[in-house]
Amino acid sequence: MKFNTKVIHGGQHHEPATGAVNVPVFLTSTFAQKSPGQLLSGYEYSRGANPTRQALEDSLASIENGARGLAFGSGLAAIDCVLKLLSPGDEVIAVDDLYGGSYRMFTRLFEKYQLKFTFIGFDNVEELESVITDKTKLIWLETPTNPLMKLVDIKMVADAVKGKDILVAVDNTFATPYIQKPLDLGADIVMHSATKYLGGHSDVIAGALIAKDVELGEKLHFIQFASGGILGPHDSYLVLRGIKTLALRMQRHSDNGFEIAKFLENHSLVEKIYYPGLSSHPQYDLATRQMTEFGGMVSFTFKSGKKEDAIKFLENIKVFTLAESLGGVESLANLPAMMTHASIPEDKRAVLGITDDLVRLSVGIEDAEDLIADLEQAFNSII
């Protein structure tokens, strides 16, 4: 199947008892057995498997070209599951420009259990090879990164560790499988905050993992079952429904994102613009190789460099909404230094370039002309 067909039909079957086209929401914790240990339908207890969640997990595997999909109560619950593959003393190499919640989990939770985290830019293979040791077991990537839209060459990383006992995991939340297929490029695991583009309507908190092979998928499923961070059936239904329109929405997000980026690139009050679809982006060539579109996430800074200008700008937006999160049909804006990335220490933010005036936009599917007009009037408020 091609992608537009996969998001609707991939891994999906009509409900066998009634022929229902949409999978029902199976609001049950347990399932009747014919005899002790002899299951009627293959389902035993909903923490292990639930028909609604199974339909979503099958869809996830299909759209990412993976062997096994797993759905969790949040994106962080999905990351937690991956880290539980590791043992004390293992080392993780992660991209330096990282979602604040991931950084917080790595440094404030899992470092306590003797996992070592090294953060690098992944600018070239030499940089990566210089920090790999015999204890390295996992490489954690975001591409594009949050919030500076840096790219990591997934194939380069996968090729660099080929034949080694090192897993490559990619947070594909910003790009989605419509734009980028990490497993096809050599990654072992894909992670999504399904709260974002997969759900797409700002009405659910969810996470997802997709494993490249069956054996790894079984290991992750055991941790999911044993730790219990599963996604409930109703939320599973909402994400599955969102996936059905993913291709349509992502094309619109990408079209609008490009228009907004061009507008900002030429605005007199804007200093830097971060968007991989602009030819001025330092990794534009990689973007054209690795991505089919460039998404709806755009970040920028002010020529004044003043946090006060960014705050005033955000206080005056009207069509955009000042809020955390991203990936919904509505446009959102936030100030990472005070919101999504506040958990990253100030000195580290400064080194990375997450300045106090950096604004991150999640461009929705509204009319681009209305979004640009809204940004213009917000800029005018600080003149």
Side-chain angles (χ1 to χ4, degrees):
M1 292 180 184
K2 294 187 182 296
F3 192 79
N4 286 330
T5 309
K6 274 189 174 183
V7 292
I8 298 170
H9 298 289
Q12 301 305 295
H13 307 281
H14 298 154
E15 200 278 318
T18 65
V21 172
N22 286 319
V23 61
V25 180
F26 284 89
L27 294 172
T28 183
S29 59
T30 193
F31 300 84
Q33 301 186 19
K34 185 176 181 180
S35 183
Q38 186 177 349
L39 308 182
L40 286 172
S41 61
Y43 294 97
E44 180 178 15
Y45 187 64
S46 277
R47 175 161 41 83
N50 174 282
T52 314
R53 190 171 82 245
Q54 187 68 56
L56 169 59
E57 293 176 336
D58 291 345
S59 175
L60 292 167
S62 174
I63 62 176
E64 283 283 12
N65 295 339
R68 181 72 180 264
L70 298 164
F72 295 82
S74 69
L76 287 172
I79 299 172
D80 177 85
C81 181
V82 175
L83 293 178
K84 285 174 179 171
L85 290 168
L86 307 178
S87 301
D90 288 346
E91 297 180 0
V92 179
I93 303 171
V95 67
D96 53 6
D97 181 32
L98 194 67
Y99 165 56
S102 302
Y103 180 85
R104 179 178 58 231
M105 175 181 285
F106 291 176
T107 60
R108 296 183 64 181
L109 289 181
F110 279 91
E111 279 188 348
K112 292 193 302 184
Y113 304 109
Q114 286 76 57
L115 293 183
K116 179 183 176 183
F117 296 88
T118 301
F119 301 93
I120 66 171
F122 288 92
D123 295 322
N124 53 63
V125 70
E126 291 78 18
E127 182 185 18
L128 171 60
E129 290 175 341
S130 70
V131 295
I132 292 176
T133 74
D134 59 358
K135 294 183 178 180
T136 303
K137 297 300 178 184
L138 174 67
I139 295 178
W140 186 267
L141 307 178
E142 285 181 17
T143 180
T145 62
N146 182 3
L148 296 176
M149 311 302 157
K150 290 168 56 178
L151 304 184
V152 178
D153 188 331
I154 299 169
K155 187 177 186 304
M156 175 197 78
V157 174
D159 287 348
V161 301
K162 197 169 185 178
K164 297 180 172 68
D165 184 24
I166 300 174
L167 294 172
V168 177
V170 179
D171 182 339
N172 202 29
T173 299
F174 274 23
T176 81
Y178 179 74
I179 289 174
Q180 181 172 267
K181 299 283 200 310
L183 299 182
D184 292 355
L185 294 169
D188 301 291
I189 301 170
V190 171
M191 193 285 293
H192 287 274
S193 173
T195 307
K196 314 306 194 297
Y197 288 111
L198 296 188
H201 294 78
S202 301
D203 56 4
V204 64
I205 300 291
L209 294 177
I210 302 91
K212 187 173 187 174
D213 63 64
V214 173
E215 182 181 359
L216 179 57
E218 285 299 320
K219 290 178 180 178
L220 291 168
H221 175 255
F222 173 77
I223 297 170
Q224 180 198 43
F225 170 73
S227 294
I230 59 165
L231 190 63
H234 187 262
D235 288 346
S236 295
Y237 177 86
L238 290 175
V239 176
L240 186 61
R241 183 176 67 171
I243 287 174
K244 291 181 179 181
T245 60
L246 179 64
L248 296 172
R249 289 185 289 104
M250 287 310 299
Q251 187 60 57
R252 180 73 171 194
H253 284 297
S254 296
D255 291 345
N256 281 356
F258 184 64
E259 292 299 316
I260 296 297
K262 287 193 299 182
F263 163 75
L264 292 170
E265 188 176 39
N266 295 310
H267 200 282
S268 61
L269 297 182
V270 172
E271 176 66 19
K272 290 184 180 178
I273 171 76
Y274 302 89
Y275 186 73
L278 294 176
S279 59
S280 57
H281 191 285
Q283 296 168 301
Y284 176 73
D285 288 343
L286 174 58
T288 59
R289 295 197 312 271
Q290 188 165 275
M291 305 167 74
T292 58
E293 295 286 345
F294 305 110
M297 299 303 300
V298 184
S299 297
F300 69 93
T301 61
F302 290 79
K303 280 192 175 172
S304 69
K306 295 180 180 178
K307 178 174 71 173
E308 294 77 14
D309 283 350
I311 291 173
K312 190 169 184 181
F313 172 88
L314 291 168
E315 288 175 344
N316 281 278
I317 52 176
K318 294 180 171 60
V319 180
F320 280 81
T321 298
L322 175 58
E324 296 197 5
S325 199
L326 59 102
V329 293
E330 63 287 301
S331 293
L332 303 177
N334 91 79
L335 194 66
M338 297 180 66
M339 298 170 71
T340 53
H341 290 69
S343 60
I344 296 178
E346 184 177 359
D347 59 341
K348 182 172 176 60
R349 292 200 307 266
V351 170
L352 292 173
I354 304 174
T355 57
D356 288 346
D357 67 323
L358 179 76
V359 170
R360 191 193 73 186
L361 303 178
S362 172
V363 181
I365 65 171
E366 304 94 338
D367 284 310
E369 294 85 351
D370 291 332
L371 296 175
I372 289 171
D374 186 39
L375 296 176
E376 187 63 75
Q377 65 83 26
F379 278 123
N380 290 338
S381 71
I382 63 176
I383 296 176

